[in-house]
Amino acid sequence: MLVNNAGHGLIAALEEVSDVDIHRFFETNFFGALRLMRTVLPVMRQQGSGHIVNMSSTAGLVGFGGSSLYCGAKFALEGTSEALAKEVESFGIKVTLIEPGAFRTDFNGRSLAAAELSIDAYATVSGASLQWFKQMDGKQPGNPRSAAQAIIQAVESPHPPMRLALGTDAMSLIQEKLSGVKTDLDAWRQVTVSTNYVDSNSEVIVG
């Protein structure tokens, strides 16, 4: 089993981060996990079993202002993991994404960084977000011990989930995101389906 848990937060608007910030952040939060997965996959494939557990976040599905890079790295991990699960399913390898909300760990403390550049125009976005994280440190609703037990339960299940959201805040935010996606799909349905080629009878060709 591989558990990818390395990472840290970065509170900054996209304009506030440098190229160095971007490369360093993705190196830890995405490419490190990618390399470890590539390292263990040949062994798991040969033995016909294995489980990769990737620590994502609610921010892997929901975008938050002031967290562009963090969300970007977690979205990338989510997409890679989802596709990987389909690639290795026939080899007996399982992939699970863990999507926690706010838990009482050191994420809001020593594991949280801010960009050196601060732009006044983003004070109500990244500035307010950083202040919220600092104020919530030690007050997060999630219990890490309960989270660990939930992860073990999922991993030991004969049918482990592709995604496991943790925390009532995660549940609420993800449900809101899914509802918003459905709202957009429904509202723009006619535009969406109008982009296919049509035959001589003006019927949509499903391709």
Side-chain angles (χ1 to χ4, degrees):
M1 177 182 294
L2 169 66
V3 179
N4 270 318
N5 190 37
H8 63 87
L10 176 61
I11 302 301
L14 191 61
E15 260 192 277
E16 296 176 317
V17 293
S18 65
D19 287 347
V20 172
D21 288 332
I22 294 170
H23 288 288
R24 184 168 52 216
F25 187 80
F26 269 81
E27 182 64 28
T28 300
N29 288 270
F30 177 64
F31 288 110
L34 206 64
R35 280 194 291 271
L36 284 172
M37 286 188 280
R38 285 167 53 84
T39 298
V40 303
L41 279 170
V43 177
M44 291 182 174
R45 180 165 45 79
Q46 185 174 18
Q47 69 188 16
S49 65
H51 200 148
I52 295 174
V53 179
N54 287 329
M55 293 299 297
S56 179
S57 167
T58 304
L61 283 175
V62 182
F64 297 96
S67 301
S68 307
L69 281 189
Y70 187 74
C71 292
K74 292 302 184 182
F75 268 64
L77 185 63
E78 292 255 345
T80 300
S81 300
E82 184 175 317
L84 175 64
K86 297 175 181 178
E87 293 173 355
V88 300
E89 182 180 11
S90 63
F91 306 136
I93 303 172
K94 299 178 175 62
V95 181
T96 296
L97 285 157
I98 308 299
E99 299 166 340
F103 276 76
R104 209 164 294 181
T105 66
D106 64 0
F107 182 86
N108 288 31
R110 67 182 181 90
S111 295
L112 188 67
E116 294 181 7
L117 174 64
S118 178
I119 299 176
D120 290 342
Y122 292 107
T124 58
V125 182
S126 54
S129 181
L130 182 60
Q131 187 64 29
W132 181 86
F133 274 100
K134 289 181 177 179
Q135 291 176 346
M136 283 294 292
D137 191 19
K139 302 174 185 176
Q140 301 95 322
N143 183 338
R145 290 183 180 274
S146 298
Q149 292 171 356
I151 294 170
I152 292 171
Q153 181 180 347
V155 169
E156 292 182 344
S157 168
H159 303 289
M162 174 72 240
R163 289 180 168 84
L164 177 64
L166 297 176
T168 54
D169 53 346
M171 177 71 75
S172 176
L173 287 165
I174 293 172
Q175 286 180 330
E176 183 179 346
K177 165 66 179 283
L178 295 175
S179 176
V181 171
K182 185 178 186 305
T183 296
D184 283 344
L185 282 173
D186 291 343
W188 289 86
R189 177 180 176 82
Q190 291 304 315
V191 174
T192 298
V193 301
S194 72
T195 57
N196 280 17
Y197 284 108
V198 294
D199 62 17
S200 58
N201 295 319
S202 298
E203 294 178 352
V204 173
I205 299 175
V206 179

